[in-house]
Amino acid sequence: MSINVKKIGVLTSGGDSPGMNAAIRAVVRTCAFHNIECMGIYRGYQGMIEGDFKEMGPRAVNNIINKGGTILKSARSKEFMTAEGRQKAHDNLVKQGVDALVVIGGNGSFTGGLLFNQEFGFPVIGIPGTIDNDIFGTSFTLGYDTALNTVVEVIDKIRDTASSHNRLFFIEVMGRDAGHIALNAGIGAGAEEILIPEEDMGLDRLLDSLRKSKASGKSSSIVVIAEGDKIGKNAFELKDYVEENMPEYDVRVSILGHMQRGGSPSCFDRVLASRLGVKAVETLIEGKSNYMVGLIKDEVVLTPLEQAVKGKTQVDKELIRVSDIVSI
């Protein structure tokens, strides 16, 4: 594909994640470095449909590398799911002279970008931004490292209360389809048990584990649960089940929710965002399209967007083994 790139549009879509602003900054400044114009598109695909654009130069992204969220805002667009909506979006890009697109987001955002490319032949490059770390083709997504640090810090504080009152805490973290946050944060925070969608341990095994913890002299326990775990409808149902079968436990539930999305990005996420943002723009300059930029074995790599959308990530089985050993 031959692409003469003169103006690149950048948008953030789907759930926000720490590091998105750092990625926007990298895209804008890489464009400036290569003498290419950059157009910020507000509110994701919905803003593209409504023509909510703003030219961005290197000074427009001053002092945002340390900020969570996204200065370009984000929104989910039902209208973009229609052919008419995508046609409006394309017309607006053409009107503004935008000839390539960088999409910062997750699986749903990439699906939209892939369809847009297929319909109009419009060059698209994706940057993975989601705290769940559930995108195929990269070892780390933007915001994942920050979310892990946030979760571990919160669990550390909850453990103080658990120890003081001899309580069992169920702590639910994000991860509807993937247990990366729960598994890594659970190990990092010293959880007694970790429940993830990929490993259905069952209610009986959970009770056995808690009984062993009690028998070994532990007066309090922390169980980290990914929101997509299959052994109970939710953490409150698990609480009721444990209380019925182990009345000696005083059980509490903490749902961490959207606090995991917020906060200043970690150094790792800032550096990752900078590397991926530079690579995204330079990939378009090289005439390539329909790829996601990612990080594997500390190298920035390209994965076809269709593979990124359809592929499935896997949790590290070795980490599950480690968790079983160190929680004894």
Side-chain angles (χ1 to χ4, degrees):
M1 179 184 292
S2 177
I3 307 171
N4 183 20
V5 179
K6 295 181 179 179
K7 184 183 288 189
I8 292 176
V10 58
L11 62 83
T12 51
S13 175
D16 64 287
S17 63
M20 280 185 165
N21 281 328
I24 294 166
R25 174 181 180 269
V27 169
V28 171
R29 291 191 171 177
T30 306
C31 285
F33 181 85
H34 290 286
N35 297 311
I36 293 171
E37 294 180 74
C38 188
M39 184 72 77
I41 303 169
Y42 285 81
R43 295 179 295 114
Y45 291 122
Q46 190 60 35
M48 200 156 74
I49 291 170
E50 297 175 8
D52 195 358
F53 299 167
K54 183 180 179 180
E55 298 244 6
M56 300 183 79
R59 301 289 74 78
V61 290
N62 282 353
N63 304 319
I64 68 168
I65 193 171
N66 60 316
K67 298 184 184 302
T70 163
I71 63 166
L72 290 178
K73 309 297 183 184
S74 186
R76 304 188 189 278
S77 176
K78 290 185 179 180
E79 191 175 357
F80 193 76
M81 297 177 185
T82 68
E84 295 78 9
R86 293 190 294 274
Q87 184 65 59
K88 287 181 186 177
H90 182 259
D91 291 345
N92 283 330
L93 291 176
V94 172
K95 182 180 178 181
Q96 292 292 334
V98 176
D99 42 33
L101 198 60
V102 174
V103 175
I104 306 170
N107 199 283
S109 304
F110 292 164
T111 299
L114 182 64
L115 184 57
F116 194 71
N117 173 270
Q118 291 170 344
E119 288 183 343
F120 302 103
F122 203 89
V124 175
I125 295 291
I127 297 177
T130 167
I131 67 167
D132 289 345
N133 204 44
D134 60 350
I135 303 293
F136 180 82
T138 186
S139 301
F140 299 96
T141 56
L142 298 184
Y144 172 59
D145 183 71
T146 305
L148 280 182
N149 288 317
T150 298
V151 171
V152 168
E153 182 180 356
V154 172
I155 295 175
D156 286 347
K157 296 178 187 299
I158 290 173
R159 185 177 289 281
D160 291 342
T161 291
S163 300
S164 298
H165 296 273
N166 295 339
R167 283 174 177 162
L168 164 64
F169 267 88
F170 285 119
I171 301 173
E172 184 183 281
V173 301
M174 285 187 172
R176 187 174 59 234
D177 300 309
H180 299 288
I181 292 177
L183 180 57
N184 284 270
I187 293 174
E192 278 67 40
E193 217 28 277
I194 301 168
L195 310 182
I196 57 176
E198 295 88 345
E199 295 283 318
D200 186 359
M201 71 178 296
L203 290 169
D204 290 339
R205 188 186 147 192
L206 174 61
L207 289 180
D208 287 344
S209 175
L210 293 174
R211 289 188 179 111
K212 286 177 183 177
S213 292
K214 198 81 169 174
S216 70
K218 292 183 180 180
S219 59
S220 64
S221 288
I222 298 288
V223 177
V224 178
I225 310 170
E227 61 182 324
D229 178 67
K230 304 297 192 294
I231 74 167
K233 292 180 181 178
N234 54 53
F236 293 98
E237 184 181 83
L238 287 177
K239 169 185 179 295
D240 293 341
Y241 182 81
V242 170
E243 285 182 333
E244 287 174 10
N245 289 274
M246 299 183 69
E248 67 271 25
Y249 263 124
D250 183 11
V251 187
R252 295 289 187 272
V253 173
S254 286
I255 311 293
L256 301 193
H258 285 79
M259 73 168 67
Q260 296 163 85
R261 287 196 190 280
S264 181
S266 65
C267 180
F268 181 90
D269 275 328
R270 299 182 198 192
V271 174
L272 177 64
S274 300
R275 294 177 71 181
L276 298 186
V278 169
K279 183 66 172 180
V281 172
E282 293 185 342
T283 298
L284 288 169
I285 292 172
E286 291 168 3
K288 298 175 183 176
S289 174
N290 250 17
Y291 287 99
M292 182 196 77
V293 293
L295 190 75
I296 296 178
K297 296 181 179 178
D298 204 35
E299 287 189 17
V300 179
V301 299
L302 299 178
T303 298
L305 211 51
E306 187 170 10
Q307 286 185 23
V309 168
K310 293 182 178 180
K312 297 293 184 183
T313 61
Q314 302 292 324
V315 294
D316 188 340
K317 297 291 186 180
E318 175 64 12
L319 283 182
I320 295 174
R321 191 177 78 88
V322 167
S323 171
D324 289 340
I325 291 172
V326 299
S327 64
I328 191 170

